[in-house]
Amino acid sequence: MELLIKRIKQVKEYLPNCKIQINTNGDYLNLEYLIDLKDAGIDSMLISYYYNGSDKNIEFNLPKIKSNMDKLMQKLKLNYNIVQESNNIIIMKSKYYNIDITYSSINMDILGCDRGGIVDVKSKVRTAPCFHPNMQVSIDYDGIYTLCCNIRSDVKEHENYLIG
């Protein structure tokens, strides 16, 4: 965590006008770490709640998911608004000082993406290009730069798409 904070500060020093976003599953997120991220200068955070972990047989259960998501928001002492809720998705929005926080859980079988072809999902195949690689740099959990947020540095099939 210390290295991440150090790197965020370096990015803000060299690129003061850039926007830094953290994508996380929230496993290690607590109030102290959120304060450190704020002080380092992040602008936004996307937290994904994965309801079924490694057991793909667990059904999307909105009441249970909502309850579990609420626990993290309480732990972080954050007020939030539910901005979208249906049978297959819930999205909460919050703000911590200048950090825009989006916390979501989606039914991956219905709305998920295939993560560069490594996850079997029932959702539609992409029919339009993704422009994110033209606007952002993605850094995987191990510090490796990738062309896309769906490319994993630890997946053999993706090794040709790692850029540093």
Side-chain angles (χ1 to χ4, degrees):
M1 291 187 226
E2 290 176 27
L3 183 58
L4 179 62
I5 298 297
K6 178 181 177 182
R7 295 293 185 247
I8 292 169
K9 288 178 179 178
Q10 286 176 324
V11 169
K12 279 297 189 180
E13 178 183 344
Y14 292 109
L15 301 166
N17 296 322
C18 78
K19 301 293 182 194
I20 297 177
Q21 177 176 292
I22 300 284
N23 294 11
T24 178
N25 61 13
D27 283 355
Y28 300 105
L29 191 57
N30 58 38
L31 187 54
E32 181 181 327
Y33 195 29
L34 185 59
I35 292 167
D36 289 345
L37 290 168
K38 172 193 65 87
D39 293 343
I42 72 161
D43 300 286
S44 61
M45 179 181 294
L46 294 179
I47 307 170
S48 298
Y49 178 81
Y50 296 104
Y51 58 92
N52 58 1
S54 61
D55 184 351
K56 303 305 176 202
N57 296 313
I58 296 175
E59 298 279 326
F60 189 84
N61 180 326
L62 187 61
K64 184 176 181 181
I65 290 166
K66 198 170 169 181
S67 173
N68 289 339
M69 290 173 70
D70 181 68
K71 288 175 187 171
L72 177 63
M73 297 305 259
Q74 287 181 29
K75 180 173 107 174
L76 298 174
K77 300 183 188 240
L78 294 174
N79 294 321
Y80 62 88
N81 293 314
I82 296 175
V83 296
Q84 187 175 352
E85 181 177 352
S86 73
N87 293 337
N88 294 308
I89 189 168
I90 180 165
I91 301 175
M92 300 174 172
K93 294 267 189 181
S94 186
K95 193 148 181 102
Y96 184 75
Y97 291 87
N98 292 329
I99 303 173
D100 292 316
I101 298 172
T102 302
Y103 191 14
S104 65
S105 185
I106 65 170
N107 185 334
M108 297 302 276
D109 282 338
I110 305 297
L111 302 172
C113 103
D114 70 0
R115 302 297 259 169
I118 62 171
V119 177
D120 184 29
V121 294
K122 298 173 191 165
S123 58
K124 296 180 194 174
V125 174
R126 180 181 290 280
T127 58
C130 175
F131 294 104
H132 283 235
N134 298 325
M135 301 178 291
Q136 70 185 26
V137 173
S138 296
I139 306 170
D140 211 351
Y141 71 94
D142 54 7
I144 293 179
Y145 290 83
T146 66
L147 290 172
C148 168
C149 60
N150 285 308
I151 299 299
R152 294 282 312 254
S153 61
D154 59 350
V155 172
K156 181 148 181 60
E157 294 84 357
H158 291 175
E159 67 185 13
N160 291 334
Y161 306 104
L162 308 179
I163 57 176

